[in-house]
């Protein structure tokens, strides 16, 4: 038996009504009368407790997990305003556990990660653990620390796919959803176990350019010096602009020219977007940049972006080894949304071309993705990424 | 034997060889190091060169990307405008125009997630929100109220007919107003443009975004202005259409109303006319009975059955008898008119040869004609020989008209009866050389009891019912009757009858 996934979607203007409509629609099309899990993705307008409560009233006993996004991705299209509810009904032999950690900003990220890991594992004994899906606050400073904490508990190379929630690109507040509660500094997860087949695919499509350079001074996600010079110098040199010129174009630079951290053991690059260019010459990145790392400036095009989607799809498919796909979860970088612009719909077309029309596809735009760098062998260590498209194809 | 000296020599030579070899090795190593250093230097140089190239690539790429973005934006804008203008120009209803604006205009692709269109309602004295894109219900409500609480400024904007824009970072023309707009609409950057239809209420359109790094250039502002203009024109067209349509509706309504009035009036006339006929019919019947007895007694007296009468009485009785006859005649004609009008008397239509009827009539009236030496003649065209009519009634028509003609034609006059075919009907013209009928009386002669007011009529007696009856008979045959006359120059009475082959 397969995993039954039913999607409800609404762009109705009255948010509460939209949520109810989407929930009812999803429930109506579900195989079983009751769902085992509800994943909720929505634009920020829906990030309210009463909306989650309204959904819970309809989908209970299913637990609710989800987050806000700058747009909702679905088979039916990409919606900047809207709510999507995916209901799951599981066949025998497949298990899951959901958990959430709130107020993660008030404790070290590592600690928060461990806490979430512990909660996810609670009650999950004598069952084969397959993979975890994590939703976390998109504006948290140390996403990497949380990932490490999670890995300490779940296993360093435990397959993990995570997405950092996003808002409407104002970078003010992002939200994660757990049952009847919305929290802006939270991280939630779903641990899957039993006989689930799955494949991960993650790609960015960016190519290194220019001289390799070393991070000579950094702390967490702030880089102070590159090759012994003020970090912004490198960018000033490359773009032939002074500091204020860089700051003016920071959004463009951030999305179009991220840095790539070279990981020798993986033979690949981990991308980092700049979140701000500071007056003191340091650069703040979305994700940590360890001191001593070898970095390159990265460059890409719309075509390379779309090629990455194709490759990620291939990879997820390969990992699934021809087995049946019941749903596809998409975590796509918000930067890619900006870069692709009008071509964003082509990406959905690529997915449809690969999977056909009938496989439920749903996803979010993220401020960071957590996944193994090279997922060919999914037993790889998960990293905190920027600018990627991360796919999870699963079936029973 | 190896001597010590030999040994030392050998060792010496060996050492020398070793030293030479070592020296050679060192020299060659040194050269290799030198070579390698050269290579490294070359590599470093090319790496740096490559890096310089990378910089060029990055800069060019950045410029290309910017241009691409601009182009994309322009394309999107133009494309959207094109679709919008095509759709809007076919819509002639205001609400439909705003609906199309909402559905087709991709503000989002232009970088604006919020867009609103307001129109000033001069009756209510407030701005009405007609389109809101990217706002939730409560957000739209609060935008509405804040725009209206600041309506003077927005009205000023419309009055000045000027669009303006403001971004988060740039300086704005009217800093205070700009700030208010930002707060009211919940945006960081915006373009606001007046919507100015020449007809009716005017308003404004706003496109805005929360994104702080938005750059609004002249092109964007132009695009929104064009859009606002387009909207204005579409509204103007719709309103003009509405006006015309309303006017036409009003006209149609009036026509229907008037037609209704007329139909009602006609109905009333018919009812009255029927009542009149019924009344005449009833009265005539009631009159006929006593008249018959009056005439009967007069006849008996005149016949002398009750004894001989003195001449004076006889003379009076003659008068009674004659007047009674006239009265009976009149009543009969009245009754006929009423019967024909009410359809109680049907026309026994048959194919008649006109010649026979006309000759019969001429013979009947020849005595009177001869008395006045009036020439009575007729002429029947080949195609008008036969008509479909009631024999007796048709005779009556001829007798009436011809005897009238004889009455009103001075001695030695001429009366002609002519039949011809006109428009598939037989037309009969009876012309005389009589006194003629004055213009003002021509229509009335066919009315009951109408008699032309002149000297001849005062001499010649008549009921004033003859022509009225004639008219009813002709109409009962689906024909028409009319006359042409000039005072002193004779008259021509014409009537038509259906033909038979």
């Amino acid at each position: 038996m397969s995993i039954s996934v039913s999607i409800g979607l609404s762009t109705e203007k009255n948010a509460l009504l939209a949520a109810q409509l989407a929930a009812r629609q999803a429930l109506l099309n579900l195989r079983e009368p009751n769902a085992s899990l509800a994943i909720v993705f929505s634009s920020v307008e829906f990030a309210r407790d009463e909306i989650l409560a309204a959904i819970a009233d309809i989908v209970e006993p299913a637990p609710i997990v989800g987050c806000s996004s700058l747009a909702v991705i679905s088979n039916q299209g990409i919606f900047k305003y809207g709510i999507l509810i995916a209901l799951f009904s599981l066949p025998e032999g497949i298990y899951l556990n959901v958990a959430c950690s709130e107020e993660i900003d008030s404790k070290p990220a590592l600690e928060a990660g461990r806490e979430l890991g512990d909660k996810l594992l609670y009650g999950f004994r004598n069952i084969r653990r397959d993979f975890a899906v994590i939703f976390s606050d998109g504006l948290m400073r140390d996403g990497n620390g949380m990932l490490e904490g999670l890995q300490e508990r779940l296993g360093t190379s435990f397959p993990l796919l995570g997405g950092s929630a996003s808002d409407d690109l104002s970078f003010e507040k992002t939200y994660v959803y757990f049952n009847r509660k919305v929290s802006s500094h939270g991280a939630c997860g779903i641990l899957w176990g039993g006989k689930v087949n799955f494949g991960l695919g993650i790609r960015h499509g960016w190519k290194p350019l220019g001289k390799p350079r070393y991070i000579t001074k950094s702390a967490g996600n702030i880089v102070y010096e590159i090759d012994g010079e003020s970090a912004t110098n490198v960018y000033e040199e490359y773009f032939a602009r002074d500091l204020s010129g860089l700051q003016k174009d920071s959004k463009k630079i951030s999305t179009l020219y991220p840095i790539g951290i070279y990981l020798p053991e993986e033979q690949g690059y981990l991308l980092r977007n700049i979140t701000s260019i500071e007056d003191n010459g340091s650069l703040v990145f979305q994700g940590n940049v360890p001191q001593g790392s070898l970095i390159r400036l990265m460059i890409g095009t719309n075509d390379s972006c779309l090629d990455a989607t194709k490759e990620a799809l291939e990879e997820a498919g390969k990992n699934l080894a021809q087995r049946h796909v019941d749903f596809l979860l998409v975590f796509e970088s918000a930067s890619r949304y900006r870069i692709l612009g009008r071509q964003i719909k082509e990406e959905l077309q690529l997915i449809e071309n690969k999977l056909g029309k009938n496989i439920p596809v749903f996803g979010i735009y993220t401020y960071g993705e957590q996944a193994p760098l090279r997922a060919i062998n999914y037993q790889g260590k998960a990293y905190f990424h920027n600018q990627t498209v991360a796919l999870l194809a699963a079936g029973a | 034997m190896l001597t010590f000296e030999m040994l030392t020599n050998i060792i010496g030579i060996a050492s020398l060889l070793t030293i030479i070899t070592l020296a050679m090795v060192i020299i060659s190593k040194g050269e290799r190091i030198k070579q390698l250093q050269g290579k490294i230097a070359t590599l470093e140089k090319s790496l740096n060169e490559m890096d310089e190239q990378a910089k060029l690539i990055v800069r060019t790429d950045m410029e290309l990307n910017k241009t691409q973005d601009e182009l994309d934006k322009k394309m999107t804008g133009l494309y959207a405008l094109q679709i919008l203008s095509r759709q809007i120009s076919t819509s002639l209803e205001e609400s439909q125009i705003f609906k199309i604006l909402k559905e087709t205009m991709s503000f989002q692709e232009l970088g604006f997630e919020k867009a609103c269109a307001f129109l000033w309602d001069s009756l209510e004295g407030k701005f009405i929100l007609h389109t809101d894109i990217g706002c939730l219900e409560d957000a739209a409500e609060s935008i509405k109220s804040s725009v209206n609480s600041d309506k003077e400024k927005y009205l000023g904007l419309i009055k000045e007919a000027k669009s303006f824009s403001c971004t988060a970072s740039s300086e704005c023309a009217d800093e205070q107003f700009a700030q208010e707009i930002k707060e009211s609409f919940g945006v960081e950057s915006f373009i606001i443009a007046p919507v100015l239809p020449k007809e009716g209420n005017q308003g404004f359109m706003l496109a805005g975004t929360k994104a702080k790094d938005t750059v609004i250039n002249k092109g964007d502002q132009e695009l929104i202005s064009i859009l606002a203009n387009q909207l204005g024109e579409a509204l103007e067209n719709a309103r003009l259409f509405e006006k015309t349509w309303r006017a036409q509706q009003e006209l149609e309504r009036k026509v229907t109303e008037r037609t209704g009035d007329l139909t009602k009036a006609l109905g009333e006339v018919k009812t009255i006319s029927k009542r009149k006929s019924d009344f005449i019919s009833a009265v005539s019947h009631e009159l006929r009975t006593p008249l018959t007895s009056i005439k009967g007694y007069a006849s008996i007296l005149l016949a002398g059955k009750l004894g001989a009468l003195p001449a004076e009485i006889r003379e009076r009785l003659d008068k009674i008898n004659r007047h009674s006859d006239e009265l009976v005649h009149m009543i009969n004609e009245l009754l006929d008119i009423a019967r024909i009008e009410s359809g109680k008397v049907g026309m026994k239509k048959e194919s008649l040869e006109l010649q026979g009827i006309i000759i019969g009539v001429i013979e009947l009236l020849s005595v009177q004609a001869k008395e006045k030496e009036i020439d009575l003649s007729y002429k029947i065209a080949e195609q008008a020989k036969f008509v479909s009519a009631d024999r007796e009634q048709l005779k009556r028509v001829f007798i009436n008209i011809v005897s009238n003609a004889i009455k009103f034609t001075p001695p030695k006059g001429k009366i002609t009866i002519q039949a011809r075919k006109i428009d598939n009907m037989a037309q009969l013209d009876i012309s005389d050389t009589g006194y003629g009928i004055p213009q003002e009386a021509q229509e009335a002669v066919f009315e009951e009891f109408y008699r032309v007011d002149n000297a001849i009529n005062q001499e010649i007696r008549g009921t004033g019912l003859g022509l009225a009856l004639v008219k009813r008979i002709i109409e009962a045959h689906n024909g028409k009757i009319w006359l042409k006359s000039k005072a002193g120059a004779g008259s021509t009475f014409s009537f038509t009858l259906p033909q038979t082959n």
Side-chain angles (χ1 to χ4, degrees), chain B residues 248-413:
Chain B
Q248 193 189 327
Q249 288 291 101
E250 178 65 12
L251 199 69
E252 269 178 26
R253 194 187 60 75
K254 275 189 181 157
V255 167
T256 319
E257 204 180 277
R258 205 76 196 95
T259 314
D261 287 352
L262 286 174
T263 315
K264 209 174 137 197
L266 189 68
E268 275 168 18
V269 167
K270 274 185 182 164
T271 322
I272 290 168
S273 166
K274 188 176 177 292
R275 274 193 208 137
K276 187 196 76 180
S277 303
D278 290 349
F279 173 73
I280 290 172
S281 178
V283 168
S284 307
H285 270 291
E286 293 306 315
L287 285 175
R288 221 157 48 165
T289 323
L291 256 179
T292 313
S293 24
I294 291 170
K295 228 179 98 71
Y297 289 123
S299 298
I300 290 167
L301 287 172
L302 274 173
K305 284 179 185 167
L306 298 177
L309 296 169
E312 281 181 353
I313 294 175
R314 177 170 287 277
E315 198 186 316
R316 304 295 191 278
L317 271 176
D318 260 337
K319 269 193 181 169
I320 290 175
N321 202 19
R322 208 171 56 244
H323 282 150
S324 299
D325 278 344
E326 277 170 15
L327 215 51
V328 169
H329 182 66
M330 192 193 251
I331 287 167
N332 282 343
E333 284 197 330
L334 266 178
L335 264 174
D336 282 341
I337 289 175
R339 280 188 196 140
I340 294 169
E341 246 185 8
S342 64
K344 275 178 195 155
V345 172
M347 295 293 136
K348 293 180 205 104
K349 283 185 197 168
E350 56 182 317
S351 183
L352 300 175
E353 199 182 359
L354 274 174
Q355 194 173 11
I357 309 239
I358 293 171
I359 290 173
V361 171
I362 290 176
E363 276 173 5
L364 191 73
L365 299 172
S366 59
V367 184
Q368 286 122 288
K370 270 180 190 156
E371 271 175 18
K372 293 177 82 174
E373 290 177 67
I374 288 169
D375 177 33
L376 261 175
S377 64
Y378 72 90
K379 192 178 160 193
I380 299 168
E382 191 61 31
Q383 301 100 320
K385 272 179 151 178
F386 295 95
V387 294
S388 159
D390 184 311
R391 180 184 294 274
E392 289 311 311
Q393 302 293 352
L394 185 58
K395 265 192 192 165
R396 238 172 149 175
V397 168
F398 276 116
I399 292 169
N400 250 301
I401 298 175
V402 177
S403 63
N404 270 350
I406 294 170
K407 272 187 218 165
F408 297 105
T409 299
K412 296 186 180 163

Side-chain angles (χ1 to χ4, degrees), chain A residues 203-208 254-259 269 271 297-302 304-305 308 335-336 339 387:
Chain A
R203 280 291 184 276
H204 52 69
W206 253 239
K207 301 273 178 291
S254 163
T255 47
L256 291 172
Y257 313 101
I259 62 161
Y269 290 90
L271 298 198
L297 187 75
M298 306 295 278
I299 192 167
T301 61
N302 284 20
S304 70
C305 246
S335 309
R336 286 170 57 92
I339 292 162
Q387 203 107 337

